[in-house]
Amino acid sequence: MHLERGGKRDGGIKSMTFPPTEREMQEYEERKKRWMYDDFDVEIVNWFDELDLANIYEYIEFRETANAYSHSCKELLKQADRVMKYLDELSLGFAYVQEQTSGIEQASGSIVKQQSHLDSLSKNVEENLLIFTKLEKALRMLHSPGSDLVTKHRFKELLADLDVGLEYVNKHTNFKDIDLYQMRYRQCMTRALTLAQTYFNNQIRDIMNQVQHQISTKSLNPTTQSALLYAKFENEASRLQEVTEHIAIRCGAHEEYNGLYEECLKTYLSARYKLVNPMVHKKFEEFASDPRNLVQLSRSSLSFYKQLCGDEKNLFDKFFSNGDSYFNEWLSDLCDPLYDTLRQRIIRETSIDNLCELTSMLLSYDNTGDEEDDSINYAYVFQPVLHDVQSRLVFRVQTYIQSDIVQYVPKPEDLSEMRGHRKKDAEEEKDGGEDSFNTETLFKDWYPPMRKAITLLSQIYQLVKSTVFDDLAHRIVHECMGSLQRAQTLVVSRLGAIEAHLFFIKHLLTLRTQIMGFDIDYVPAEVLVDFSGLQEVFTKVRQEGVSFSGSGLLNLAKASVPKVVNNMFDAKEELYAKLKNSIHEFTEASVQSIVKSILDNPDPKTAVEKTRQLRQDATTEFPRIRGIIETYIDDERTIDILIDSIQDLVIQTYDTYQKTILSMVKSPEEVDGMMEVDGLVPWLGNIVGKLHKPTTSFYLDETQSTTSTTNN
């Protein structure tokens, strides 16, 4: 509310709000004091009267409402005080209750924890007692097992309980008297598995007796008999395989169980041997009278045995999950008729070709590649046959070396057939094309013993052990070179020294090239016994007599002991040495025909004439010698190397001759007209150069290195 008033003292009408502000109230009080001292201003009084009249009702209403609110607030505060007091009392009560119940709570928690521990302990005791309770149950069951316990389901449960019990007693070794329970559990397991082993053995013997009875009482053809040998066993295989599996899965736990499993294997294999062996013997009685050769007979025999081994392995796998080593041993015993039959034919076999073919056939069983037969070690089964064949092959090879290489007598027709064949064959191949190549064309200009030696090495390569092959290879090459040397003597008498050396060089180069493909590494030792000490002893006794003192007899005994001498020879080194010497001898023999004019009694008076004769001889002899070389060696580069080596030796010989002549004269003018060495070199180079033909060399590396070493 806004009020206005005017007065004489304050100079006009003043206004104020309602309710008045604090500032207005202060102004009002000041003016009131002034009015009171101014003899009461009638206007002011009127103004207050008006104010009171105008606001009296609102003020009263406002005051009453405020009083009501104030009264309500006071009542609310009183009630709040009573509630707070009540809550304080409740809080004190709750604190007292909490204090009183905390002890009960702790006691209850301890009791609950103890109860849980007792429950756990009770379960552990129950479980531990269950292991020993099952032991008593197993003992009662095994005490009177009956004849068919092994086939029942509770036998599996019994073995499972024994497995758990054994694991338990082995784990808890700190228990009292645990050793006793370990022994009892072990005895129960052994007893149970022994029952399984006995049951299996009895069943196998029963099946064997039934099959033998049916075969003996009925006349069965081979096919029906073979089917009967397997059908009865296959019908019982699944049931008996479960019995052997009980033992097999526990073999790793104790050595004694391996013995039980082995007994099952032996019983089964023995039964199968008794049933199958008569059929095998009957079959090999037919093979023994078979008129076919060794290879054909062996192929049929091995095929029969491979089929038999496959059938037996399939049947064996239906009874046993492991034991292949015992099965392979049994197959070896079953193969005795095969060994005996083939051994009789092998020791009478003389054909190296047949022996090599049979050896290759047997070696192929080392890695058959048949997935179905990968568990059968045929290499082990047929190993005795392979040893017999390899032994016979080595013996026949040694005999062949002695008869066809060492004792071979060179014939004149051998030399006449070889001489000139290379050029003739080259023309035929040129006319016939590439398809005309064959081994006969390659071998027909070779000396027969070397042809046989290379053929023999090719046949036995990788058919015998590497050390045996290396020993035979060294001996074959050694004896082949000896035979070539003997033939060289015949060539010298018939064709001359130059052709004899070319014959030897050509075959040595060919031999060395051929043996490179056989990878010969081992150097054999030739063991000899030296009895030369005995001769010394006899000489000493005759001259000095015998001293019967201890030291005298001891010295005499030491001197008389034979000595073992190991002579090591390497055919490769021997071949290289002989090739080197032969090229050297060939070069010297060839040079003799060229420089013969200057070899006899050097005389300065005839030096010029002899030099002319040398040039004439060189002009005719170089083409002639090259022509001879070409009849034996068809490689142009090799021929060029040999001609060059002859040229070098001619120059060296002439240089020596010239120095000798010059040493015999006072002045070089006395032999004016004699060709200088520096002039002879290009002159000979021109002659030899015309004979060279551009080509590649088959023997280049080895011939060039050999000739360079020889000239040096």
Side-chain angles (χ1 to χ4, degrees), residues 297-315:
L297 174 63
S298 300
R299 183 176 288 109
S300 299
S301 302
L302 295 175
S303 177
F304 168 78
Y305 254 103
K306 188 176 180 181
Q307 179 64 39
L308 177 64
C309 292
D311 294 340
E312 289 297 324
K313 186 62 173 67
N314 292 334
L315 184 62

Side-chain angles (χ1 to χ4, degrees), residues 151-170:
T151 61
K152 295 181 179 180
H153 181 71
R154 58 195 180 101
F155 184 72
K156 295 181 181 178
E157 297 177 349
L158 171 64
L159 293 177
D161 292 341
L162 292 177
D163 287 333
V164 175
L166 281 171
E167 181 181 1
Y168 181 85
V169 296
N170 290 331

Side-chain angles (χ1 to χ4, degrees), residues 194-235:
T194 302
L195 288 175
Q197 178 252 331
T198 304
Y199 177 81
F200 177 84
N201 291 347
N202 291 336
Q203 291 296 310
I204 292 295
R205 293 190 184 99
D206 290 343
I207 297 173
M208 180 188 67
N209 293 332
Q210 294 175 15
V211 174
Q212 285 181 333
H213 178 72
Q214 293 181 11
I215 293 176
S216 61
T217 56
K218 299 178 182 180
S219 57
L220 303 176
N221 58 50
T223 304
T224 306
Q225 181 178 349
S226 177
L228 181 62
L229 289 175
Y230 293 96
K232 190 66 176 177
F233 279 84
E234 289 176 349
N235 292 336

Side-chain angles (χ1 to χ4, degrees), residues 18-19 55-70:
F18 187 83
N55 297 315
I56 188 65
Y57 296 107
E58 293 181 5
Y59 171 74
I60 293 173
E61 184 179 1
F62 176 77
R63 184 188 63 187
E64 292 298 330
T65 302
N67 289 336
Y69 285 163
S70 176

Side-chain angles (χ1 to χ4, degrees), residues 51-110:
L51 179 63
D52 291 339
L53 290 175
N55 297 315
I56 188 65
Y57 296 107
E58 293 181 5
Y59 171 74
I60 293 173
E61 184 179 1
F62 176 77
R63 184 188 63 187
E64 292 298 330
T65 302
N67 289 336
Y69 285 163
S70 176
H71 180 74
S72 299
C73 289
K74 291 178 180 179
E75 290 297 328
L76 183 61
L77 289 173
K78 291 179 181 179
Q79 291 179 6
D81 291 338
R82 288 194 297 269
V83 171
M84 290 296 295
K85 184 178 180 181
Y86 181 70
L87 291 175
D88 291 339
E89 293 176 356
L90 287 177
S91 177
L92 293 174
F94 284 135
Y96 177 76
V97 172
Q98 182 180 7
E99 182 180 357
Q100 294 297 320
T101 58
S102 60
I104 298 175
E105 181 182 2
Q106 293 177 358
S108 299
S110 177

Side-chain angles (χ1 to χ4, degrees), residues 378-606:
Y378 287 112
Y380 175 80
V381 175
F382 299 145
Q383 189 176 29
V385 181
L386 178 61
H387 285 173
D388 291 341
V389 177
Q390 287 178 329
S391 298
R392 180 61 179 174
L393 176 60
V394 171
F395 174 76
R396 287 300 307 156
V397 167
Q398 292 173 339
T399 304
Y400 185 84
I401 294 172
Q402 188 66 26
S403 61
D404 287 38
I405 297 178
V406 177
Q407 297 179 359
Y408 184 84
V409 178
K411 305 173 184 177
E413 55 267 25
D414 295 336
L415 307 180
S416 60
E417 289 177 0
M418 289 186 295
R419 192 172 189 270
H421 271 170
R422 298 299 286 183
K423 291 302 177 183
K424 182 179 179 181
D425 294 339
E427 295 175 359
E428 292 177 355
E429 291 180 5
K430 184 177 180 180
D431 296 337
E434 296 181 356
D435 295 337
S436 63
F437 173 79
N438 57 70
T439 55
E440 292 297 329
T441 303
L442 176 65
F443 289 160
K444 68 181 181 181
D445 66 327
W446 290 5
Y447 185 56
M450 195 183 82
R451 183 191 314 155
K452 296 175 182 178
I454 298 302
T455 303
L456 186 60
L457 286 174
S458 302
Q459 286 180 302
I460 66 174
Y461 183 53
Q462 294 185 340
L463 295 184
V464 294
K465 293 181 178 180
S466 59
T467 54
V468 176
F469 174 79
D470 290 346
D471 180 71
L472 290 174
H474 280 282
R475 295 186 183 280
I476 290 173
V477 173
H478 175 75
E479 299 299 345
C480 181
M481 288 187 291
S483 180
L484 288 173
Q485 283 183 313
R486 290 189 292 272
Q488 185 183 13
T489 305
L490 179 62
V491 177
V492 170
S493 62
R494 295 181 61 86
L495 302 176
I498 293 179
E499 294 201 34
H501 291 307
L502 284 173
F503 164 83
F504 197 49
I505 291 171
K506 168 214 168 179
H507 283 85
L508 290 181
L509 289 173
T510 304
L511 181 61
R512 180 165 183 171
T513 302
Q514 293 297 322
I515 65 174
M516 283 181 179
F518 297 113
D519 200 15
I520 305 172
D521 295 326
Y522 170 70
V523 180
E526 185 176 9
V527 181
L528 303 175
V529 180
D530 184 9
F531 292 95
S532 60
L534 292 176
Q535 184 177 1
E536 296 178 1
V537 171
F538 293 148
T539 303
K540 185 176 181 180
V541 170
R542 286 198 304 267
Q543 295 177 355
E544 302 177 4
V546 180
S547 175
F548 292 97
S549 63
S551 59
L553 291 176
L554 181 60
N555 292 333
L556 190 64
K558 289 181 178 179
S560 63
V561 173
K563 299 177 182 178
V564 178
V565 180
N566 291 326
N567 291 331
M568 306 296 293
F569 68 91
D570 187 345
K572 290 183 177 180
E573 295 297 329
E574 183 183 10
L575 191 153
Y576 183 81
K578 290 184 180 298
L579 179 60
K580 174 183 175 182
N581 294 334
S582 183
I583 291 176
H584 178 70
E585 293 173 358
F586 163 74
T587 304
E588 289 185 342
S590 300
V591 169
Q592 291 291 327
S593 63
I594 299 174
V595 300
K596 58 185 178 181
S597 61
I598 62 175
L599 293 180
D600 298 333
N601 300 322
D603 186 358
K605 297 179 180 179
T606 60

